[in-house]
């Protein structure tokens, strides 16, 4: 269970929120002119990284506002929370601690936050 | 070396204190190259190697696994087996698997403890009734032994269930008598042992780092034990499949989420079938040890942490206690999470891709265990012949572009 810092209400329990999937996915400008492949990319294909992940949340049992967060999916650590109108923070702002390509540290289960 | 298990071998080894059992498989170092490499040493991956060797004569192959065999989702599920899926494509695939389960113990000469105790899917409202009855009819047309059972019949099969005095009363159910459970570890071990006998190298503690591609062709894989060359690579890495695919420049429509399960303290037999409820999200069976094996849901967000959120367990336990009031004072012993890779249509991907010699068996989401032998069998065919088996032709990657999805959100027991 996560504590999510809603930019409007402050820190609240995660069960008050609903996840909205990947953030910063833009709808293609001319859907009638693009290929099926590109449309499929927009409808079905989302990134699924083990590590830094940009995602949307809605405070559905609170202020009902949407906002974005940056979370490390290998630890569930929420690194940054920002409003929809804010600029996307660049990945280089965050230090990715992942050691191996699959994201596991050389020894252990990868649950960094548990070990902290 | 052929390993035979019988009452005599058990007696013989009992006399020597069970200290002289032979090893079930070798632990070889990887060779420089193989005819095919399977990434992922769970049930699906080991089964693929078994069928590649047995049915397609490919024995110069390897299975590489980053941890230990069956330590991923094969060891983290609730072992439920059924084939009552809605669409013809899925019915074909899961029924193929169920038929293989029925003879797997004999085939492997290793007891996978497949127990056909029946699987029940409960209906709690008018919509459930219609949806489930439709599915029962579809199953019947596909020759699957699914039937509608009334509330009175449910009370006879599962007397401990509270059918009336709860917020969403039980109104009926579908029942598949041939469904059941199996022992998860022995499936992985059985396939591993028999594949090893045919010459397959099973390499544990060997993590795949990068798929190596040259001129649109697969040439090998970079691992923690060095580069292994192979013109054919099958990726069967469940939750981590999309990460490996990315190293080959391929995007898959998968999202990885934790799926949790838990077991109670062992008690005397109280429930002799598998009962699942989509609507209130609680499913349970009783293991041979007497523990209640309870399946919880997926978390609402992507994660690779293999643990999951506590609120998900709370939801499941709340439903369990209402449905079975006598479980109210029981203690839960263990809880765990596995990382499942979910497709937008809740159906798997068993497919080739644009890169020659690269194959995927993924997207099993919340229900891969039941399909273990069937998935392995058709995937072995796909890898060996470089074309899909008739059974898995519909489960290709192209379906997300053509729109010919196999939507099984209704039949997948875990809502997502």
């Amino acid at each position: 269970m996560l504590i999510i810092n809603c930019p409007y209400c402050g820190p609240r329990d995660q069960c008050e929120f609903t996840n909205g999937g990947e953030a910063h996915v833009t709808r293609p400008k001319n859907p009638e002119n693009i290929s099926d492949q590109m449309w499929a990319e927009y409808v079905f294909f989302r990134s699924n990284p083990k590590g830094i992940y940009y995602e949307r949340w809605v405070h559905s049992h609170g202020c009902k506002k949407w906002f974005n967060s940056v979370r490390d999916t290998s630890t569930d650590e929420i690194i940054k929370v920002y409003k929809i109108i804010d600029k996307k923070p660049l990945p280089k702002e965050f230090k990715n601690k992942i050691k191996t390509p699959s994201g596991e540290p050389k020894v252990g289960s990868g649950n960094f936050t548990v070990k902290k | 070396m052929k390993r035979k298990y019988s009452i005599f071998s058990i007696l013989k080894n009992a006399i020597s204190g069970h200290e002289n059992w032979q090893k079930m498989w070798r632990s070889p170092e990887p060779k420089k190259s193989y005819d095919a490499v399977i990434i992922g040493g769970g049930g699906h991956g080991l089964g693929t190697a078994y069928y590649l060797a047995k049915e397609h004569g490919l024995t110069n192959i390897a299975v590489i696994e980053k941890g230990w065999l069956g330590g991923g989702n094969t060891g983290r599920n609730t072992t439920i087996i059924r084939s009552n899926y809605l669409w013809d494509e899925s019915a074909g695939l899961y029924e193929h698997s169920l038929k293989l389960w029925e003879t797997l113990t004999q085939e492997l000469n290793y007891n996978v403890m497949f127990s056909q105790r029946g699987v029940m899917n409960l209906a709690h409202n008018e919509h459930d009734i219609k949806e489930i009855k439709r599915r029962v009819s579809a199953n019947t047309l596909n020759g699957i032994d699914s039937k509608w059972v009334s509330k009175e019949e449910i009370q006879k099969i599962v007397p401990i269930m509270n059918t009336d005095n709860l917020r969403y009363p039980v109104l009926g159910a579908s029942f598949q008598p041939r469904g059941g459970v199996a022992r998860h570890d022995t499936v992985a071990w059985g396939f591993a042992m028999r594949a090893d006998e045919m010459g397959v190298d099973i390499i544990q503690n060997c993590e795949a780092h990068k798929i190596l591609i040259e001129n649109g062709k697969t040439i090998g894989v970079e691992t923690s034990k060095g580069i292994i060359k192979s013109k054919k690579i099958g990726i069967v890495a469940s939750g981590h499949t999309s990460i490996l695919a990315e190293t080959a420049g391929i995007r898959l429509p998968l999202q990885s989420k934790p799926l949790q399960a838990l077991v109670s303290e062992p008690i005397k037999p109280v429930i002799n079938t598998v009962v699942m409820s989509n609507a209130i999200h609680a499913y349970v069976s009783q293991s041979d040890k007497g523990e209640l094996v309870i399946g919880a849901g997926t978390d609402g967000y992507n994660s690779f942490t293999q643990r999951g959120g506590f609120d998900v367990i709370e939801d499941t336990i709340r439903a369990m206690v209402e449905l079975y009031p006598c479980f109210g004072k029981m203690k839960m012993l263990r809880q765990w999470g596995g990382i499942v890779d979910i497709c937008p249509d809740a159906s798997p991907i068993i497919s080739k891709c644009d890169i020659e010699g690269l194959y995927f068996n993924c997207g099993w989401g919340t229900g891969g265990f039941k399909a273990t032998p069937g998935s392995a069998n058709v995937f072995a065919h796909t890898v060996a012949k470089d074309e899909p088996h008739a059974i898995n032709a519909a489960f290709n990657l192209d379906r997300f572009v053509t729109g010919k999805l196999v939507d099984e959100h209704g039949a997948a027991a875990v809502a997502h």
Side-chain angles (χ1 to χ4, degrees):
Chain A
M1 196 177 285
L2 314 172
I3 301 289
I4 300 175
N5 195 3
C6 171
Y8 305 96
C9 312
R12 296 293 179 90
D13 194 301
Q14 167 232 319
C15 33
E16 292 185 16
F17 299 84
T18 309
N19 186 277
E22 192 182 3
H24 306 291
V25 177
T26 42
R27 187 185 166 93
K29 284 223 170 75
N30 305 305
E32 67 278 16
N33 296 329
I34 62 170
S35 66
D36 287 352
Q37 179 70 44
M38 285 170 78
W39 186 245
E41 285 280 332
Y42 169 63
V43 177
F44 294 122
F45 290 70
R46 295 288 179 269
S47 49
N48 187 30
K50 184 165 183 172
I52 299 297
Y53 182 55
Y54 297 85
E55 66 188 345
R56 302 180 303 173
W57 293 93
V58 57
H59 196 180
S60 38
H61 299 286
C63 64
K64 301 212 163 40
K65 287 198 175 85
W66 285 87
F67 60 93
N68 292 337
S69 78
V70 182
R71 185 168 50 93
D72 185 335
T73 57
S74 67
T75 62
D76 278 351
E77 196 173 353
I78 297 174
I79 303 162
K80 188 170 182 160
V81 175
Y82 57 103
K83 292 181 183 172
I84 289 276
I85 50 166
D86 293 345
K87 254 196 181 160
K88 179 181 176 179
L90 294 171
K92 66 177 179 197
E93 285 181 32
F94 315 107
K95 223 168 131 194
N96 196 341
K97 287 168 284 188
I98 307 302
K99 294 286 188 299
T100 59
S102 76
E104 300 286 329
K106 286 214 169 76
V107 176
S109 71
N111 292 339
F112 303 99
T113 40
V114 175
K115 288 176 194 156
K116 263 182 192 170
Chain B
M1 182 181 39
K2 185 95 179 138
R3 298 163 187 86
K4 279 281 270 186
Y5 293 95
S6 66
I7 184 130
F8 302 109
S9 65
I10 292 170
L11 282 176
K12 194 179 122 204
N13 282 285
I15 291 164
S16 57
H18 293 295
E19 284 183 349
N20 299 314
W21 282 101
Q22 58 218 330
K23 286 219 164 120
M24 286 176 74
W25 50 80
R26 300 163 291 131
S27 296
E29 282 303 305
K31 287 193 255 176
K32 286 222 162 59
S33 84
Y34 289 96
D35 293 340
V37 171
I38 304 296
I39 301 173
H44 290 241
L46 294 164
T48 305
Y50 170 79
Y51 289 113
L52 274 172
K54 185 180 165 241
E55 294 186 356
H56 305 282
L58 275 174
T59 52
N60 182 29
I61 59 177
V63 178
I64 62 173
E65 162 58 45
K66 75 172 169 184
W68 61 95
L69 298 189
N73 291 350
T74 301
R76 291 167 190 267
N77 59 82
T78 49
T79 75
I80 297 168
I81 293 162
R82 62 192 172 92
S83 65
N84 56 351
Y85 280 70
L86 176 66
W87 301 107
D88 295 350
E89 294 86 353
S90 323
L93 180 58
Y94 291 104
E95 182 62 16
H96 178 57
S97 190
L98 183 51
K99 290 212 173 94
L100 289 171
W101 275 116
E102 285 173 329
T103 55
L104 199 60
T105 291
Q106 288 77 12
E107 166 145 3
L108 298 175
N109 176 236
Y110 195 62
N111 193 357
V112 298
M113 296 163 84
F114 181 43
S115 157
Q116 292 180 293
R117 58 185 70 177
V119 173
M120 197 182 266
N121 289 79
L122 301 182
H124 295 270
N125 53 48
E126 196 56 36
H127 173 78
D128 279 358
I129 295 177
K130 285 181 177 152
E131 199 272 334
I132 288 176
K133 280 190 172 168
R134 177 192 178 199
R135 192 136 54 86
V136 166
S137 305
N139 292 158
T140 310
L141 289 173
N142 279 316
I144 293 166
D145 60 325
S146 193
K147 63 179 178 188
W148 171 261
V149 288
S150 67
K151 189 177 85 183
E152 289 69 33
E153 288 170 282
I154 295 172
Q155 284 162 341
K156 272 186 205 136
I157 304 171
V158 189
I160 59 166
M161 192 192 295
N162 169 21
T163 50
D164 299 302
N165 185 22
L166 71 169
R167 184 170 172 193
Y168 299 106
V170 177
L171 304 173
S174 71
F175 189 58
Q176 186 182 15
R178 279 166 65 240
V181 291
R183 170 116 172 97
H184 50 89
D185 290 328
T186 58
V187 183
W189 298 340
F191 275 133
M193 173 173 62
R194 299 306 171 203
D196 178 87
E197 273 169 13
M198 290 184 280
V200 176
D201 280 357
I202 295 163
I203 303 154
Q204 299 180 77
N205 297 314
C206 178
E207 181 176 28
H209 289 174
K210 190 172 189 243
I211 310 296
L212 304 173
I213 314 281
E214 210 174 74
N215 302 325
K217 287 180 186 171
T218 309
I219 55 163
V221 55
E222 197 186 299
T223 73
S224 55
K225 293 193 173 183
I227 287 174
I228 302 175
K229 285 189 178 158
S230 176
K231 284 181 179 156
K232 286 184 178 207
I233 290 179
I235 302 182
V236 203
S238 69
H240 287 74
T241 302
S242 50
I243 292 160
L244 279 170
E246 212 179 284
T247 69
I250 291 183
R251 242 164 102 87
L252 295 172
L254 299 174
Q255 298 282 284
S256 297
K257 293 178 179 191
L259 174 64
Q260 294 180 78
L262 50 161
V263 294
S264 73
E265 56 192 329
I267 51 170
K268 285 187 176 177
V270 290
I271 185 162
N272 63 356
T273 185
V274 182
V275 185
M276 318 179 73
S277 166
N278 288 22
I280 59 170
H281 211 293
Y283 53 98
V284 64
S285 64
Q286 192 169 15
S287 76
D288 294 340
K289 282 186 281 185
E291 300 157 332
L292 298 172
V293 183
I294 297 167
T298 53
D299 280 298
Y301 49 87
N302 290 12
S303 177
F304 288 83
T305 54
Q306 288 196 331
R307 51 170 193 265
F310 191 72
D311 51 325
V312 176
I313 302 176
E314 202 177 351
D315 279 350
T316 296
I317 292 298
R318 201 181 286 151
M320 286 295 300
V321 171
E322 202 172 44
L323 201 56
Y324 309 97
C326 67
F327 294 169
K329 287 185 179 165
M330 285 182 68
K331 292 179 183 71
M332 291 298 144
L333 283 190
R334 297 190 301 281
Q335 165 275 344
W336 62 89
I339 302 305
V340 297
D341 46 334
I342 299 173
C343 258
D345 59 354
S347 282
I349 297 168
I350 313 172
S351 178
K352 325 201 290 181
C353 67
D354 293 341
I355 294 166
E356 204 180 305
L358 189 60
Y359 308 89
F360 290 101
N361 185 355
C362 57
W364 287 99
T366 56
F369 180 76
K370 67 176 81 67
T372 305
S375 138
N377 187 265
V378 296
F379 188 53
H381 183 281
T382 310
V383 173
K385 309 263 190 225
D386 194 37
E387 61 181 22
H389 191 282
I391 290 173
N392 68 315
F395 299 95
N396 55 47
L397 253 175
D398 285 342
R399 73 179 191 267
F400 300 98
V401 177
T402 61
K404 203 174 180 335
L405 303 179
V406 188
D407 184 1
E408 287 291 359
H409 280 285
V414 178
H416 44 67

